[in-house]
Amino acid sequence: MAADIQKQAASLFSQLKYEHLVAGISGGVLSTLVLHPLDLIKIRFQVSDGLQSRPTYNGLVHACRSIVQQRGVLGLYQGVMPNVWGAGASWGFYFFFYNAIKAYMQGDSTVPLGAGHHMLAAAQSGVLTLCMTNPIWVVKTRLCLQYDGIDKGGVKENKGTVYRGMWDALTKIYRYEGFRGLYKGMIPGIFGVSHGALQFMAYEELKKTYNSHMNLPPNGQLGAMEYITFAALSKMFAVVTTYPYQVVRSRLQDQHAKYNSVLGTVKTTYRGEGWRGFYKGLLPNLLRVTPATCITFVVYEKISHALLPKR
């Protein structure tokens, strides 16, 4: 029994290829640098529950103008460093684990997997990636939620909710809230694994259907337009289906709010804002994640195909 487990583990580890890690990191970093301002605005909309003393915005354009007026154009890139680290690490590890698990399940690379196997591989990859990157996402959320005129000195300064950068935030969160503080929002994040599972399942099924229709090999390289189309469609499908977990996660990670549990956050949000409260920030999120996913997948596919034959 032990020998069989060891043999299976060795077989799985043999499928890990650094090319997928490099390609995923490249795509994640590039898309984040281009589209971070929309991520910042999305987070501020998500936590706007009417219960806290914080800036309120009437729409996407008003939010952009307000942030620029208060902090200049660079204010739109508040929290960009942990976002770059988080997106790069998340996409890199996701593709790294996903392709290894998929190859292990597949055995013969010429035989395409079904939708269920794609979802399972993506879900397992998502859990592994989340465990490694959740502290970075907590820091990103908190840096994006620092406002001018709020958290200046006094009691909140002593509680460690004013952060001067990524490493300062990591240190203060651990010092004042312990290890659990770095993993706030982990439970809705686990639910959010379904987001990646649905996205990758849809993306793989679209590619498989297209390759079959065009009589192409399962792992053949497609054109940029095909990758962009499949990535956009799969991302929009996953976002609309699973978006409420992102609102709950952001509110749990918000240093200004007092949400203590997933269930309590869901009840408070529904009681105060109805079902629409779970879809706050959906528009800027779609405007960000759709092109971001297209950029990420195109860069990933091109770089991975360029690197893999040289191995």
Side-chain angles (χ1 to χ4, degrees):
M1 179 66 73
D4 289 340
I5 294 174
Q6 188 175 13
K7 189 175 181 179
Q8 290 176 356
S11 177
L12 178 59
F13 280 113
S14 69
Q15 302 295 341
L16 294 170
K17 292 182 172 62
Y18 80 90
E19 293 92 343
H20 295 298
L21 179 66
V22 172
I25 290 173
S26 301
V29 168
L30 180 61
S31 62
T32 300
L33 287 173
V34 173
L35 296 160
H36 176 79
L38 286 170
D39 199 15
L40 171 73
I41 293 169
K42 176 207 72 173
I43 292 173
R44 294 198 172 185
F45 279 144
Q46 285 178 339
V47 301
S48 180
D49 53 11
L51 303 176
Q52 309 295 325
S53 176
R54 68 171 96 236
T56 56
Y57 308 113
N58 297 325
L60 188 59
V61 174
H62 179 244
C64 285
R65 286 177 179 171
S66 299
I67 294 169
V68 171
Q69 287 174 356
Q70 291 173 359
R71 296 200 167 193
V73 175
L74 290 179
L76 293 171
Y77 279 85
Q78 194 175 320
V80 69
M81 188 57 67
N83 203 12
V84 167
W85 277 80
S90 291
W91 281 113
F93 284 123
Y94 207 107
F95 281 116
F96 186 59
F97 294 132
Y98 174 73
N99 282 282
I101 295 170
K102 187 175 74 168
Y104 175 76
M105 290 179 174
Q106 201 168 11
D108 183 359
S109 61
T110 61
V111 180
L113 294 175
H117 285 97
H118 284 138
M119 286 189 69
L120 181 60
Q124 292 172 336
S125 306
V127 172
L128 288 170
T129 301
L130 180 64
C131 290
M132 300 172 74
T133 60
N134 196 80
I136 301 175
W137 295 126
V138 174
V139 169
K140 184 205 84 169
T141 299
R142 299 215 173 168
L143 288 176
C144 287
L145 295 176
Q146 291 202 126
Y147 311 100
D148 283 345
I150 298 178
D151 287 349
K152 299 295 184 182
V155 177
K156 290 189 176 181
E157 177 82 38
N158 295 331
K159 289 184 178 178
T161 57
V162 176
Y163 311 115
R164 296 173 178 82
M166 180 176 174
W167 300 113
D168 182 59
L170 279 169
T171 303
K172 284 184 176 177
I173 292 169
Y174 180 74
R175 182 188 306 157
Y176 290 98
E177 301 172 55
F179 188 74
R180 293 180 64 182
L182 295 172
Y183 279 86
K184 283 190 172 180
M186 181 75 175
I187 294 176
I190 293 291
F191 286 112
V193 166
S194 63
H195 175 100
L198 289 170
Q199 178 188 344
F200 271 71
M201 179 271 292
Y203 181 73
E204 294 283 7
E205 289 300 302
L206 286 168
K207 284 203 305 180
K208 184 173 72 174
T209 303
Y210 180 82
N211 287 335
S212 176
H213 179 71
M214 301 298 291
N215 294 318
L216 298 172
N219 294 324
Q221 184 175 6
L222 304 178
M225 201 64 228
E226 284 85 359
Y227 289 134
I228 288 172
T229 303
F230 300 154
L233 290 174
S234 61
K235 190 64 176 181
M236 286 189 287
F237 166 67
V239 168
V240 173
T241 305
T242 64
Y243 186 76
Y245 95 88
Q246 295 189 37
V247 174
V248 174
R249 188 182 186 188
S250 292
R251 294 190 176 192
L252 282 169
Q253 293 174 348
D254 182 6
Q255 67 268 39
H256 306 294
K258 298 299 180 183
Y259 298 106
N260 296 318
S261 67
V262 173
L263 186 58
T265 306
V266 170
K267 287 181 177 178
T268 302
T269 301
Y270 184 75
R271 190 183 305 122
E273 302 159 74
W275 65 268
R276 293 190 179 189
F278 295 104
Y279 284 89
K280 282 192 170 180
L282 179 61
L283 176 59
N285 189 56
L286 282 173
L287 291 176
R288 180 190 70 86
V289 298
T290 305
T293 302
C294 294
I295 293 170
T296 301
F297 273 73
V298 169
V299 171
Y300 162 76
E301 296 281 7
K302 295 298 183 182
I303 292 180
S304 62
H305 278 285
L307 291 176
L308 282 167
K310 297 178 183 179
R311 185 173 173 83

